[in-house]
Amino acid sequence: MRNELWKYNTGFICGYSEDRELIRRIKRYKKDWEIMADYFRNGRLIGVQFRIPIEQRRPAERMFDVVVS
């Protein structure tokens, strides 16, 4: 599964994940992380992109298991 984090606008980072369990955990526990895009292939969800407040960088790095690039 592919997970990525990168800098976005001032005050935000973006995260992308293809891991279904991680996507479920984020939707359940991180209500302040906004979904920016859903990616589909042949009608099936393959990935989700989130907009994350910069104050949540450390928890995001732990959840996604990557460092912000």
Side-chain angles (χ1 to χ4, degrees):
M1 298 296 160
R2 197 171 84 176
N3 295 326
E4 296 181 30
L5 288 172
W6 64 93
K7 293 179 184 176
Y8 186 54
N9 288 339
T10 303
F12 292 98
I13 58 174
C14 280
Y16 173 80
S17 180
E18 294 177 353
D19 183 358
R20 290 188 176 275
E21 285 302 314
L22 177 60
I23 293 168
R24 286 187 188 111
R25 275 190 287 143
I26 291 170
K27 285 182 177 181
R28 179 178 295 141
Y29 298 115
K30 300 295 187 180
K31 301 296 185 190
D32 56 337
W33 294 12
E34 179 183 335
I35 295 176
M36 293 179 63
D38 294 322
Y39 296 94
F40 292 90
R41 182 179 298 138
N42 298 325
R44 292 190 52 148
L45 181 70
I46 60 165
V48 178
Q49 182 176 340
F50 297 94
R51 187 174 80 161
I52 305 164
I54 196 69
E55 298 84 26
Q56 297 283 318
R57 181 186 58 84
R58 297 279 303 246
E61 288 178 345
R62 275 185 262 150
M63 286 185 86
F64 282 79
D65 197 29
V66 293
V67 178
V68 174
S69 59

Coordinates of all heavy atoms in Angstrom, one line a residue:
M1 N 0.8 -1.2 0.0 CA 0.0 0.0 0.0 C 0.9 1.2 0.0 O 1.9 1.3 0.6 CB -0.9 0.0 1.2 CG -1.8 -1.1 1.3 SD -3.0 -1.1 0.0 CE -3.6 -2.7 0.0
R2 N 0.4 2.2 -0.7 CA 1.2 3.5 -0.8 C 0.6 4.6 0.0 O -0.5 4.8 0.0 CB 1.2 3.9 -2.3 CG 2.3 4.9 -2.6 CD 2.3 5.1 -4.1 NE 1.3 6.1 -4.4 CZ 1.1 6.6 -5.6 NH1 1.8 6.2 -6.6 NH2 0.2 7.5 -5.8
N3 N 1.5 5.2 0.8 CA 1.2 6.3 1.7 C 2.1 7.4 1.4 O 3.3 7.2 1.3 CB 1.2 6.0 3.1 CG 0.2 4.9 3.5 OD1 -0.9 4.9 3.0 ND2 0.5 4.1 4.5
E4 N 1.6 8.7 1.3 CA 2.5 9.8 1.1 C 2.0 11.0 1.9 O 0.8 11.2 2.1 CB 2.5 10.2 -0.4 CG 3.1 9.2 -1.3 CD 3.0 9.6 -2.8 OE1 3.1 10.9 -3.0 OE2 2.9 8.8 -3.7
L5 N 2.9 11.9 2.3 CA 2.6 13.2 2.9 C 3.5 14.2 2.2 O 4.6 14.0 2.0 CB 2.9 13.1 4.4 CG 2.0 12.3 5.3 CD1 2.6 12.3 6.7 CD2 0.6 12.9 5.3
W6 N 2.9 15.4 2.0 CA 3.7 16.5 1.4 C 3.1 17.8 1.9 O 2.0 17.9 2.3 CB 3.7 16.4 -0.1 CG 2.4 16.6 -0.8 CD1 1.9 17.7 -1.3 CD2 1.5 15.5 -1.1 NE1 0.7 17.4 -1.9 CE2 0.4 16.1 -1.8 CE3 1.4 14.2 -0.9 CZ2 -0.7 15.4 -2.2 CZ3 0.3 13.4 -1.3 CH2 -0.7 14.1 -1.9
K7 N 3.9 18.9 1.7 CA 3.5 20.2 2.1 C 2.5 20.7 1.1 O 2.6 20.5 -0.1 CB 4.7 21.2 2.1 CG 5.7 20.9 3.2 CD 6.8 21.8 3.2 CE 7.8 21.4 4.3 NZ 9.0 22.2 4.3
Y8 N 1.5 21.5 1.6 CA 0.4 22.0 0.7 C 0.5 23.5 0.8 O 1.5 24.1 0.6 CB -0.9 21.4 1.1 CG -2.1 21.7 0.2 CD1 -2.0 21.5 -1.1 CD2 -3.2 22.3 0.7 CE1 -3.1 21.8 -2.0 CE2 -4.3 22.6 -0.1 CZ -4.2 22.4 -1.4 OH -5.3 22.7 -2.2
N9 N -0.6 24.1 1.2 CA -0.6 25.6 1.4 C -0.1 25.9 2.8 O 0.1 25.0 3.6 CB -2.1 26.1 1.3 CG -2.5 26.1 -0.1 OD1 -1.7 26.1 -1.1 ND2 -3.8 26.1 -0.3
T10 N 0.0 27.2 3.1 CA 0.4 27.6 4.5 C -0.6 27.1 5.5 O -1.8 27.3 5.3 CB 0.4 29.2 4.5 OG1 1.3 29.7 3.5 CG2 0.9 29.6 5.9
G11 N -0.1 26.3 6.5 CA -1.0 25.8 7.5 C -1.5 24.4 7.2 O -2.3 23.9 8.0
F12 N -1.2 23.8 6.1 CA -1.7 22.5 5.7 C -0.7 21.6 5.1 O 0.3 22.1 4.5 CB -2.9 22.6 4.8 CG -4.1 23.3 5.3 CD1 -4.4 24.6 5.1 CD2 -5.0 22.6 6.1 CE1 -5.5 25.2 5.7 CE2 -6.1 23.2 6.7 CZ -6.4 24.5 6.5
I13 N -0.9 20.3 5.3 CA -0.1 19.3 4.5 C -1.2 18.4 3.9 O -2.4 18.4 4.2 CB 0.8 18.5 5.4 CG1 0.0 17.8 6.6 CG2 1.9 19.3 6.0 CD1 0.9 16.8 7.4
C14 N -0.8 17.6 2.9 CA -1.7 16.7 2.2 C -1.2 15.3 2.5 O 0.0 15.1 2.6 CB -1.7 17.0 0.7 SG -2.8 18.3 0.3
G15 N -2.1 14.4 2.5 CA -1.8 13.0 2.7 C -2.6 12.2 1.7 O -3.7 12.5 1.4
Y16 N -1.9 11.1 1.1 CA -2.6 10.2 0.2 C -2.3 8.8 0.7 O -1.2 8.5 1.1 CB -2.0 10.4 -1.2 CG -2.5 9.4 -2.2 CD1 -3.7 9.5 -2.8 CD2 -1.7 8.2 -2.5 CE1 -4.2 8.6 -3.7 CE2 -2.2 7.3 -3.4 CZ -3.4 7.4 -4.0 OH -3.9 6.5 -4.8
S17 N -3.4 8.0 0.6 CA -3.3 6.6 1.1 C -4.1 5.7 0.2 O -5.2 6.1 -0.2 CB -3.7 6.5 2.5 OG -3.6 5.1 2.9
E18 N -3.6 4.5 0.0 CA -4.3 3.4 -0.7 C -4.6 2.3 0.3 O -5.2 1.3 -0.1 CB -3.5 2.9 -1.9 CG -3.2 3.9 -3.0 CD -2.4 3.4 -4.1 OE1 -1.8 2.3 -4.0 OE2 -2.2 4.1 -5.1
D19 N -4.3 2.5 1.5 CA -4.5 1.5 2.6 C -5.9 1.6 3.1 O -6.2 2.6 3.7 CB -3.5 1.6 3.7 CG -3.6 0.6 4.8 OD1 -4.5 -0.2 4.7 OD2 -2.8 0.7 5.7
R20 N -6.8 0.6 2.9 CA -8.2 0.7 3.3 C -8.4 0.8 4.8 O -9.2 1.6 5.2 CB -8.9 -0.5 2.7 CG -9.1 -0.5 1.2 CD -10.0 -1.6 0.8 NE -10.3 -1.6 -0.6 CZ -11.2 -0.9 -1.2 NH1 -12.0 -0.1 -0.4 NH2 -11.4 -0.9 -2.5
E21 N -7.6 0.1 5.5 CA -7.7 0.2 7.0 C -7.3 1.6 7.5 O -8.0 2.1 8.4 CB -6.8 -0.8 7.7 CG -7.4 -2.2 7.6 CD -8.8 -2.3 8.2 OE1 -9.0 -1.8 9.3 OE2 -9.7 -2.9 7.5
L22 N -6.3 2.2 7.0 CA -5.9 3.5 7.3 C -7.0 4.5 7.0 O -7.3 5.4 7.8 CB -4.6 3.9 6.7 CG -4.1 5.3 6.9 CD1 -3.9 5.6 8.4 CD2 -2.8 5.6 6.2
I23 N -7.5 4.4 5.8 CA -8.6 5.3 5.4 C -9.8 5.2 6.3 O -10.4 6.2 6.7 CB -9.0 5.0 3.9 CG1 -7.9 5.3 2.9 CG2 -10.3 5.8 3.5 CD1 -8.1 4.8 1.5
R24 N -10.2 4.0 6.7 CA -11.3 3.8 7.7 C -11.0 4.5 9.0 O -11.8 5.1 9.6 CB -11.6 2.4 7.9 CG -12.3 1.7 6.7 CD -12.7 0.3 7.1 NE -13.2 -0.3 5.9 CZ -12.6 -1.3 5.2 NH1 -11.5 -1.8 5.7 NH2 -13.2 -1.8 4.1
R25 N -9.7 4.3 9.5 CA -9.3 4.9 10.8 C -9.4 6.4 10.7 O -9.8 7.1 11.7 CB -7.9 4.5 11.2 CG -8.0 3.1 12.0 CD -6.6 2.8 12.6 NE -5.7 2.5 11.5 CZ -4.4 2.8 11.4 NH1 -3.9 3.5 12.4 NH2 -3.7 2.4 10.4
I26 N -8.9 7.0 9.6 CA -8.9 8.5 9.5 C -10.3 9.0 9.4 O -10.7 9.9 10.1 CB -8.1 8.9 8.2 CG1 -6.6 8.6 8.4 CG2 -8.4 10.3 7.9 CD1 -5.8 8.8 7.2
K27 N -11.2 8.3 8.7 CA -12.6 8.8 8.6 C -13.3 8.7 9.9 O -14.2 9.5 10.3 CB -13.4 8.0 7.5 CG -13.0 8.3 6.1 CD -13.8 7.5 5.1 CE -13.5 7.9 3.7 NZ -14.3 7.2 2.7
R28 N -12.9 7.7 10.7 CA -13.6 7.5 12.0 C -13.1 8.5 13.1 O -13.9 9.1 13.8 CB -13.3 6.1 12.5 CG -14.0 5.8 13.9 CD -13.8 4.4 14.4 NE -14.5 3.5 13.5 CZ -14.1 2.3 13.1 NH1 -12.9 1.9 13.5 NH2 -14.8 1.6 12.3
Y29 N -11.8 8.7 13.2 CA -11.2 9.4 14.3 C -10.7 10.8 14.0 O -10.6 11.7 14.9 CB -10.0 8.7 14.9 CG -10.4 7.3 15.4 CD1 -9.9 6.2 14.9 CD2 -11.2 7.2 16.5 CE1 -10.3 4.9 15.4 CE2 -11.6 6.0 17.0 CZ -11.1 4.8 16.4 OH -11.5 3.6 16.9
K30 N -10.5 11.2 12.8 CA -9.9 12.5 12.4 C -10.9 13.3 11.6 O -10.8 13.5 10.4 CB -8.6 12.3 11.6 CG -7.5 11.5 12.3 CD -7.0 12.3 13.5 CE -5.8 11.7 14.2 NZ -5.4 12.4 15.3
K31 N -11.9 13.8 12.3 CA -13.0 14.6 11.6 C -12.5 15.9 11.1 O -13.1 16.5 10.2 CB -14.1 14.8 12.6 CG -14.7 13.6 13.2 CD -15.4 12.7 12.1 CE -16.1 11.6 12.8 NZ -16.5 10.6 11.8
D32 N -11.4 16.4 11.6 CA -10.8 17.7 11.1 C -9.9 17.5 9.8 O -9.4 18.5 9.3 CB -10.1 18.5 12.2 CG -9.0 17.7 12.8 OD1 -9.0 16.5 12.8 OD2 -8.1 18.3 13.4
W33 N -9.7 16.3 9.4 CA -8.9 16.1 8.2 C -9.9 16.0 7.0 O -10.7 15.1 6.9 CB -8.1 14.8 8.3 CG -7.0 14.8 9.3 CD1 -6.8 15.7 10.3 CD2 -6.0 13.8 9.5 NE1 -5.8 15.4 11.0 CE2 -5.2 14.2 10.6 CE3 -5.7 12.6 8.8 CZ2 -4.2 13.5 11.0 CZ3 -4.6 11.9 9.2 CH2 -3.8 12.3 10.3
E34 N -9.9 17.0 6.1 CA -10.8 17.1 5.0 C -10.4 16.2 3.9 O -9.2 16.1 3.5 CB -10.8 18.5 4.6 CG -11.7 18.8 3.4 CD -11.6 20.3 3.0 OE1 -11.3 21.1 3.8 OE2 -11.9 20.5 1.8
I35 N -11.4 15.5 3.3 CA -11.1 14.7 2.1 C -11.1 15.6 0.9 O -12.1 16.4 0.6 CB -12.2 13.6 1.9 CG1 -12.1 12.6 3.0 CG2 -12.0 12.9 0.6 CD1 -13.2 11.5 3.0
M36 N -10.0 15.6 0.2 CA -9.9 16.5 -1.0 C -10.3 15.7 -2.3 O -10.8 16.3 -3.2 CB -8.4 17.0 -1.2 CG -8.0 17.9 -0.1 SD -6.3 18.4 -0.3 CE -6.3 19.3 -1.8
A37 N -9.9 14.5 -2.4 CA -10.2 13.7 -3.6 C -10.3 12.2 -3.3 O -9.6 11.7 -2.4 CB -9.1 13.9 -4.6
D38 N -11.2 11.5 -4.0 CA -11.3 10.1 -4.0 C -10.9 9.6 -5.4 O -11.3 10.2 -6.4 CB -12.7 9.6 -3.7 CG -13.2 10.0 -2.4 OD1 -12.5 9.9 -1.4 OD2 -14.4 10.3 -2.2
Y39 N -10.0 8.6 -5.4 CA -9.5 8.1 -6.7 C -10.1 6.7 -6.9 O -10.0 5.8 -6.1 CB -8.0 8.0 -6.6 CG -7.4 9.3 -6.5 CD1 -7.0 9.9 -5.3 CD2 -7.2 10.1 -7.6 CE1 -6.5 11.1 -5.2 CE2 -6.6 11.4 -7.5 CZ -6.2 11.9 -6.3 OH -5.7 13.1 -6.2
F40 N -10.7 6.5 -8.1 CA -11.4 5.3 -8.5 C -10.7 4.7 -9.7 O -10.3 5.4 -10.6 CB -12.9 5.5 -8.8 CG -13.6 5.9 -7.5 CD1 -13.8 7.2 -7.2 CD2 -14.2 4.9 -6.8 CE1 -14.5 7.6 -6.1 CE2 -15.0 5.3 -5.6 CZ -15.1 6.6 -5.3
R41 N -10.7 3.3 -9.8 CA -10.3 2.6 -11.0 C -11.3 1.5 -11.2 O -11.6 0.7 -10.3 CB -8.9 2.1 -10.9 CG -8.4 1.4 -12.1 CD -7.1 0.8 -12.0 NE -6.1 1.9 -11.8 CZ -5.1 1.8 -10.9 NH1 -4.9 0.7 -10.3 NH2 -4.3 2.8 -10.8
N42 N -12.0 1.5 -12.4 CA -13.0 0.5 -12.7 C -14.1 0.5 -11.7 O -14.6 -0.6 -11.3 CB -12.4 -0.9 -12.9 CG -11.4 -0.9 -14.0 OD1 -11.5 -0.3 -15.0 ND2 -10.3 -1.7 -13.8
G43 N -14.5 1.7 -11.2 CA -15.6 1.7 -10.2 C -15.2 1.4 -8.8 O -16.1 1.4 -7.9
R44 N -14.0 1.1 -8.5 CA -13.5 0.7 -7.1 C -12.6 1.8 -6.6 O -11.7 2.3 -7.3 CB -12.8 -0.6 -7.1 CG -13.7 -1.8 -7.5 CD -12.9 -3.1 -7.2 NE -12.4 -3.0 -5.9 CZ -12.2 -4.1 -5.1 NH1 -12.6 -5.3 -5.6 NH2 -11.7 -4.0 -3.9
L45 N -12.8 2.1 -5.3 CA -11.9 3.1 -4.6 C -10.5 2.5 -4.5 O -10.3 1.4 -4.0 CB -12.5 3.4 -3.2 CG -11.7 4.4 -2.4 CD1 -11.9 5.8 -3.0 CD2 -12.2 4.4 -1.0
I46 N -9.5 3.3 -5.0 CA -8.2 2.9 -4.9 C -7.3 3.8 -4.0 O -6.3 3.4 -3.4 CB -7.4 2.8 -6.2 CG1 -7.4 4.1 -6.9 CG2 -8.1 1.7 -7.1 CD1 -6.5 4.2 -8.1
G47 N -7.8 5.0 -3.7 CA -7.0 5.9 -2.9 C -7.8 7.1 -2.5 O -8.8 7.5 -3.1
V48 N -7.4 7.8 -1.4 CA -8.0 9.0 -0.9 C -7.0 10.0 -0.5 O -5.9 9.6 0.0 CB -8.9 8.7 0.4 CG1 -9.5 10.0 0.9 CG2 -10.0 7.7 0.1
Q49 N -7.2 11.3 -0.9 CA -6.3 12.4 -0.5 C -6.9 13.2 0.5 O -8.1 13.6 0.4 CB -6.0 13.2 -1.8 CG -5.0 14.3 -1.6 CD -4.7 15.0 -2.9 OE1 -4.9 14.5 -3.9 NE2 -4.2 16.2 -2.7
F50 N -6.2 13.5 1.6 CA -6.7 14.3 2.7 C -5.9 15.6 2.8 O -4.7 15.7 2.5 CB -6.5 13.6 4.0 CG -7.2 12.3 4.1 CD1 -6.6 11.1 3.8 CD2 -8.5 12.2 4.6 CE1 -7.3 9.9 3.8 CE2 -9.2 11.1 4.6 CZ -8.6 9.9 4.3
R51 N -6.6 16.7 3.3 CA -6.0 17.9 3.7 C -5.9 18.0 5.2 O -6.9 17.9 5.9 CB -6.7 19.1 3.1 CG -6.0 20.4 3.4 CD -6.7 21.6 2.7 NE -7.8 22.0 3.6 CZ -8.4 23.1 3.5 NH1 -8.1 24.0 2.6 NH2 -9.4 23.4 4.3
I52 N -4.7 18.1 5.8 CA -4.4 17.9 7.2 C -3.9 19.2 7.7 O -2.9 19.8 7.2 CB -3.4 16.8 7.4 CG1 -3.9 15.5 6.8 CG2 -3.2 16.6 8.9 CD1 -2.9 14.4 6.6
P53 N -4.4 19.8 8.8 CA -3.9 21.0 9.5 C -2.4 20.7 9.9 O -2.1 19.6 10.4 CB -4.7 21.2 10.7 CG -6.0 20.5 10.4 CD -5.6 19.3 9.5
I54 N -1.6 21.7 9.8 CA -0.1 21.5 10.1 C 0.1 21.1 11.5 O 1.1 20.5 11.8 CB 0.7 22.8 9.7 CG1 2.2 22.5 9.6 CG2 0.4 23.9 10.6 CD1 2.6 21.6 8.5
E55 N -0.8 21.5 12.4 CA -0.7 21.1 13.8 C -0.8 19.6 14.0 O -0.4 19.1 15.0 CB -1.8 21.8 14.7 CG -1.7 23.3 14.7 CD -2.4 23.9 13.5 OE1 -3.4 23.3 12.9 OE2 -2.1 25.1 13.1
Q56 N -1.4 18.9 13.1 CA -1.5 17.5 13.1 C -0.4 16.7 12.4 O -0.6 15.6 12.1 CB -2.9 17.1 12.5 CG -4.1 17.7 13.3 CD -4.3 16.9 14.5 OE1 -4.3 15.7 14.5 NE2 -4.6 17.6 15.6
R57 N 0.7 17.4 12.1 CA 1.8 16.8 11.3 C 2.3 15.5 12.0 O 2.4 14.5 11.3 CB 2.9 17.8 11.1 CG 4.0 17.2 10.3 CD 5.2 18.1 10.2 NE 5.7 18.5 11.5 CZ 6.6 17.8 12.2 NH1 7.1 16.7 11.7 NH2 7.1 18.2 13.3
R58 N 2.6 15.6 13.3 CA 3.2 14.4 14.0 C 2.2 13.2 14.0 O 2.6 12.1 13.7 CB 3.6 14.8 15.4 CG 4.7 15.9 15.5 CD 6.1 15.3 15.3 NE 6.4 14.2 16.2 CZ 7.3 14.3 17.1 NH1 8.0 15.3 17.3 NH2 7.5 13.2 17.9
P59 N 1.0 13.4 14.4 CA 0.0 12.3 14.3 C -0.1 11.8 12.9 O -0.2 10.5 12.7 CB -1.3 12.9 14.8 CG -0.9 14.1 15.6 CD 0.3 14.6 15.0
A60 N -0.1 12.7 11.9 CA -0.2 12.2 10.5 C 1.0 11.3 10.1 O 0.9 10.3 9.4 CB -0.3 13.4 9.5
E61 N 2.2 11.8 10.5 CA 3.4 11.0 10.2 C 3.4 9.6 10.8 O 3.8 8.6 10.2 CB 4.7 11.7 10.6 CG 5.0 12.9 9.7 CD 6.2 13.7 10.2 OE1 6.6 13.5 11.3 OE2 6.7 14.5 9.4
R62 N 2.8 9.5 12.0 CA 2.7 8.2 12.7 C 1.6 7.4 12.0 O 1.9 6.2 11.8 CB 2.4 8.4 14.2 CG 3.6 8.6 15.0 CD 3.3 8.7 16.4 NE 3.2 10.1 16.6 CZ 2.6 10.9 17.4 NH1 1.9 10.6 18.2 NH2 2.6 12.1 17.5
M63 N 0.5 7.9 11.7 CA -0.6 7.1 11.1 C -0.2 6.7 9.7 O -0.4 5.5 9.3 CB -1.9 7.9 11.0 CG -2.6 8.1 12.3 SD -4.1 8.9 12.1 CE -5.2 7.5 11.8
F64 N 0.4 7.6 8.9 CA 0.8 7.2 7.5 C 2.1 6.4 7.5 O 2.5 5.9 6.4 CB 0.9 8.5 6.6 CG -0.4 9.0 6.2 CD1 -1.2 9.8 7.0 CD2 -0.8 8.8 4.9 CE1 -2.4 10.3 6.6 CE2 -2.0 9.4 4.5 CZ -2.8 10.1 5.3
D65 N 2.9 6.5 8.5 CA 4.2 5.8 8.6 C 5.2 6.3 7.6 O 6.0 5.6 7.0 CB 4.1 4.3 8.5 CG 5.3 3.6 9.0 OD1 6.0 4.1 9.9 OD2 5.6 2.5 8.5
V66 N 5.1 7.6 7.3 CA 6.1 8.3 6.4 C 6.4 9.7 7.0 O 5.7 10.2 7.9 CB 5.5 8.5 5.0 CG1 5.4 7.1 4.3 CG2 4.3 9.2 4.9
V67 N 7.4 10.4 6.5 CA 7.8 11.7 6.9 C 7.4 12.7 5.8 O 7.4 12.4 4.6 CB 9.3 11.8 7.1 CG1 9.7 13.2 7.5 CG2 9.7 10.8 8.2
V68 N 6.9 13.9 6.2 CA 6.5 14.9 5.2 C 7.7 15.3 4.3 O 8.8 15.5 4.8 CB 6.0 16.2 5.9 CG1 5.8 17.3 4.9 CG2 4.8 15.9 6.7
S69 N 7.5 15.2 3.0 CA 8.6 15.6 2.1 C 8.6 17.0 1.7 O 7.6 17.7 1.8 CB 8.4 14.7 0.8 OG 7.2 15.0 0.2

